Amino acid sequence: MFCLCVFLQLAALERQIFDFLGFQWAPILGNFLQIIVVILGLFGTIQFRPRYIVVYTVWTALWVTWNVFIICFYLEVGGLSKETDLMTFNISMHRSWWREHGPGCIRRVVRPSSPGVLEDYSYVSVTGCIIDFQYLEVIHSAIQILLSLIGFVYACYVISIFMEEEDSFDFIGGLDTYSYRQPPQEHVELKPVKPVGRSK
């Protein structure tokens, strides 16, 4: 579980960094919650707290749903458009950091020459990208889904183990078959004890 949590944390932190660079506020909030809940799930596993692991399991289902939505958003499935400001909560016009800084991308800033346009306003031209930014975002979400599904299965397994241990626990003096008391014997064999004394 520890190695899986490390992979989940590294993937969430990497994604958090690039979402911060692109001012993607909705994914930043989701990544933050993912980091907190993974820590909670790890704590629940180490401290034998099944309720914390149940919280992790429920969150994992929501996290997978969120990542499926991100995939649909960037692939423009079902009327969604990657050109909207949905990921920034309509606060700004920022887009994915990978849009201008993807592998092989050449970024050029072009100043408008027409009159009436503010001088500090500029256009950005991006060419030569090896892979488009939306596919990089889809890959990130697919990795998150894969790791989360593995975590979900493992969390369900750990919860079942904890519940079995809780059910088989015998309180002292309980009525279970694994009682600490020995059943009374019908015949007790008595043997004389030879006194240990001085030898003559």
Side-chain angles (χ1 to χ4, degrees), residues 1 4 8 53-62 64 144-159:
M1 179 69 173
L4 179 63
L8 284 166
I53 302 171
V54 169
V55 169
Y56 168 79
T57 307
V58 170
W59 169 255
T60 300
L62 294 172
V64 167
Q144 291 289 332
I145 290 171
L146 177 67
L147 290 174
S148 295
L149 290 176
I150 294 170
F152 182 84
V153 170
Y154 189 75
C156 290
Y157 172 72
V158 169
I159 289 171

Side-chain angles (χ1 to χ4, degrees), residues 96-141:
S96 171
W97 184 82
W98 296 108
R99 184 181 199 125
E100 299 175 10
H101 304 283
C105 292
I106 300 168
R107 184 177 182 262
R108 234 174 22 146
V109 177
V110 180
R111 300 257 179 226
S113 58
S114 55
V117 178
L118 298 173
E119 289 186 23
D120 61 345
Y121 189 77
S122 60
Y123 296 99
V124 176
S125 170
V126 179
T127 57
C129 295
I130 296 172
I131 185 169
D132 289 336
F133 77 96
Q134 64 264 25
Y135 299 121
L136 287 170
E137 293 287 355
V138 167
I139 290 169
H140 274 95
S141 291

Side-chain angles (χ1 to χ4, degrees), residues 13-178:
L13 286 172
E14 181 266 342
R15 190 170 179 183
Q16 183 79 316
I17 290 168
F18 290 113
D19 287 338
F20 261 120
L21 291 172
F23 301 102
Q24 303 288 300
W25 301 115
I28 287 170
L29 181 62
N31 294 332
F32 177 74
L33 291 173
Q34 169 71 356
I35 291 167
I36 297 299
V37 173
V38 168
I39 291 171
L40 186 70
L42 181 61
F43 179 76
T45 303
I46 293 171
Q47 294 293 319
F48 301 103
R49 311 266 177 146
R51 289 182 183 161
Y52 292 169
I53 302 171
V54 169
V55 169
Y56 168 79
T57 307
V58 170
W59 169 255
T60 300
L62 294 172
W63 184 243
V64 167
T65 304
W66 169 251
N67 281 289
V68 168
F69 169 76
I70 289 179
I71 290 173
C72 293
F73 177 79
Y74 282 109
L75 294 179
E76 298 183 333
V77 175
L80 296 170
S81 174
K82 63 182 177 281
E83 301 302 323
T84 62
D85 297 327
L86 188 63
M87 292 297 169
T88 61
F89 292 133
N90 295 325
I91 297 172
S92 65
M93 295 181 62
H94 289 95
R95 299 287 185 267
S96 171
W97 184 82
W98 296 108
R99 184 181 199 125
E100 299 175 10
H101 304 283
C105 292
I106 300 168
R107 184 177 182 262
R108 234 174 22 146
V109 177
V110 180
R111 300 257 179 226
S113 58
S114 55
V117 178
L118 298 173
E119 289 186 23
D120 61 345
Y121 189 77
S122 60
Y123 296 99
V124 176
S125 170
V126 179
T127 57
C129 295
I130 296 172
I131 185 169
D132 289 336
F133 77 96
Q134 64 264 25
Y135 299 121
L136 287 170
E137 293 287 355
V138 167
I139 290 169
H140 274 95
S141 291
I143 290 171
Q144 291 289 332
I145 290 171
L146 177 67
L147 290 174
S148 295
L149 290 176
I150 294 170
F152 182 84
V153 170
Y154 189 75
C156 290
Y157 172 72
V158 169
I159 289 171
S160 70
I161 288 176
F162 285 175
M163 292 303 167
E164 283 177 12
E165 286 179 4
E166 197 172 283
D167 289 343
S168 67
F169 180 74
D170 181 28
F171 294 98
I172 296 176
L175 300 175
D176 293 346
T177 56
Y178 304 106

